[in-house]
Amino acid sequence: MIHQYIRIISGALGEELPERFQYSSIPLSLVVISTVICLIVTILSGLKPAGRATQIDVLKTMRREI
């Protein structure tokens, strides 16, 4: 199935692919691990600002801005 897509793309570009041409593939485990790492970093970087935001008195802050 992938070879069909390669043929379509190479035909659209008007070029033939060299023999022994290989596309690289990314293992699913690498995708999952990188996604988990990104989620952990995102959550950890948001904890401190969220904690500080819960300490602020909303009414007092809104009075200062007006």
Side-chain angles (χ1 to χ4, degrees):
M1 187 168 181
I2 292 175
H3 296 290
Q4 292 172 347
Y5 293 125
I6 294 171
R7 287 187 194 132
I8 291 170
I9 292 171
S10 64
L13 297 175
E15 299 178 5
E16 288 293 322
L17 296 176
E19 289 185 34
R20 296 185 177 182
F21 184 79
Q22 278 188 311
Y23 283 98
S24 61
S25 64
I26 301 173
L28 182 62
S29 60
L30 183 61
V31 173
V32 171
I33 290 170
S34 61
T35 302
V36 169
I37 290 172
C38 288
L39 287 173
I40 290 171
V41 168
T42 302
I43 291 170
L44 289 177
S45 65
L47 283 177
K48 188 174 182 180
R52 290 183 62 205
T54 59
Q55 303 291 326
I56 296 173
D57 182 19
V58 177
L59 294 176
K60 193 175 192 182
T61 305
M62 290 189 70
R63 281 189 213 126
R64 285 187 195 169
E65 289 183 11
I66 295 177

